Amino acid sequence: MSGTEPRHVAHESVEERLSGVLGEAEEKLAAEIIAEQDLHEVKKRPEDDEDELPSMSEQIAEQLGGVRGLIESSVPVLAFVLLNVILSLEALGLEKREALLWAIVGSVGSALAIGGVRLARKQPVRHAVNGLFGIALGAWLAWRTGDAKNFYLPGILLTFGQTAVLLLSVAIRKPLIGYAWGIMANKGKQDWFGNTRLFRTFQWLTVLWAVSLSVRAGIQAYLYWLGEANAIGVVRILVSWPIYAATFAFTIWAIHRVTSAQKHAA
């Protein structure tokens, strides 16, 4: 180094050299300790990483079966409606009970086919099994009574039951929509009870779901009372699912609006 360079430059160069020497010594010492103690570097396993949870909408959709689940649950109902209407035509010359039998066979058969395809593809069959149970119960009631409208009775009663449970949860100040959010989007934590704004949001969203379900079930119950079996099936497919989809989308938006506002405020 020439004598024309400032002294502080030379001083810094010495410190850098000393730091490098000490660093090498530390690394060497650590290597010796690892070798003597037969230690190994602990690598973080992929499963130890905290996976980022999917969005709430993705998780709820998964729990409910997603779009595919909605379609699959509608196929047996659609099969029953179409077969019952077509086979009941006088031109075919089938008796009412015989037409009902073939409609039941087509509905249950389509539900079994959906479950079989899922099993063959090694896909979850939970939604298919649940749908098959409801279809089988409705088919049994329709066949026993000889009236096609009873095919829809279990679904109507179940929906009214869900409405009552939702309203009860609001009355006792434990809204079920809040619990669903905690399980699906809050890593299982139910700490929203201490969040006044979020708690109120879950209260009125639970009421909204109860109203949505009661409207869907109410329309079908009215048609059941009129004895319009085929109309019940049409309403269930063309009216009930759009109401469900709109309620679901609004719920996601309302919760996201509150949680995002609170994050920004924090």
Side-chain angles (χ1 to χ4, degrees):
M1 185 176 298
S2 64
T4 59
E5 293 180 341
R7 293 183 61 188
H8 72 274
V9 173
H11 179 66
E12 290 178 356
S13 179
V14 171
E15 289 181 348
E16 292 175 357
R17 292 176 185 175
L18 181 60
S19 176
V21 172
L22 291 176
E24 293 177 359
E26 290 176 355
E27 292 178 1
K28 184 177 181 181
L29 179 60
E32 292 176 355
I33 293 175
I34 290 175
E36 291 177 0
Q37 300 296 328
D38 194 23
L39 300 176
H40 301 281
E41 182 182 0
V42 178
K43 295 183 178 181
K44 193 172 184 180
R45 295 174 298 176
E47 56 267 28
D48 291 335
D49 294 334
E50 183 178 1
D51 296 330
E52 183 180 354
L53 288 174
S55 66
M56 180 183 178
S57 58
E58 292 174 342
Q59 294 203 39
I60 291 180
E62 173 62 24
Q63 294 298 317
L64 296 175
V67 175
R68 180 174 177 176
L70 296 180
I71 295 175
E72 290 179 349
S73 65
S74 300
V75 168
V77 177
L78 182 61
F80 180 86
V81 173
L82 292 178
L83 288 174
N84 192 54
V85 171
I86 295 173
L87 297 178
S88 297
L89 295 175
E90 294 183 1
L92 296 178
L94 294 177
E95 295 182 359
K96 180 180 179 181
R97 193 169 181 83
E98 187 177 359
L100 176 61
L101 173 61
W102 283 110
I104 291 173
V105 170
S107 177
V108 175
S110 62
L112 288 173
I114 291 172
V117 170
R118 279 186 166 271
L119 281 175
R121 295 180 177 179
K122 297 181 179 180
Q123 297 174 336
V125 296
R126 181 178 69 253
H127 306 296
V129 171
N130 293 339
L132 178 60
F133 176 78
I135 294 297
L137 180 58
W140 178 78
L141 288 174
W143 177 251
R144 179 161 184 170
T145 60
D147 195 336
K149 71 177 184 179
N150 289 314
F151 176 83
Y152 307 100
L153 184 59
I156 296 173
L157 295 178
L158 177 61
T159 306
F160 276 128
Q162 293 171 339
T163 300
V165 171
L166 287 171
L167 292 176
L168 178 62
S169 72
V170 173
I172 62 177
R173 300 182 66 79
K174 294 185 182 296
L176 288 181
I177 296 301
Y179 282 101
W181 176 82
I183 293 171
M184 298 178 185
N186 199 35
K187 301 179 181 180
K189 296 182 291 184
Q190 303 295 345
D191 53 1
W192 49 271
F193 278 103
N195 188 324
T196 303
R197 185 178 177 186
L198 201 53
F199 174 80
R200 290 175 179 172
T201 300
F202 289 140
Q203 281 279 82
W204 66 259
L205 280 176
T206 304
V207 173
L208 176 65
W209 272 97
V211 172
S212 172
L213 290 175
S214 64
V215 169
R216 293 164 56 190
I219 296 174
Q220 295 179 58
Y222 177 70
L223 294 173
Y224 178 88
W225 178 70
L226 294 177
E228 298 291 340
N230 294 329
I232 298 174
V234 173
V235 166
R236 182 169 170 178
I237 296 172
L238 300 182
V239 177
S240 294
W241 287 128
I243 293 177
Y244 162 81
T247 307
F248 171 76
F250 183 80
T251 299
I252 299 301
W253 173 83
I255 296 175
H256 178 73
R257 179 171 176 268
V258 173
T259 54
S260 296
Q262 291 186 337
K263 285 182 181 179
H264 287 307

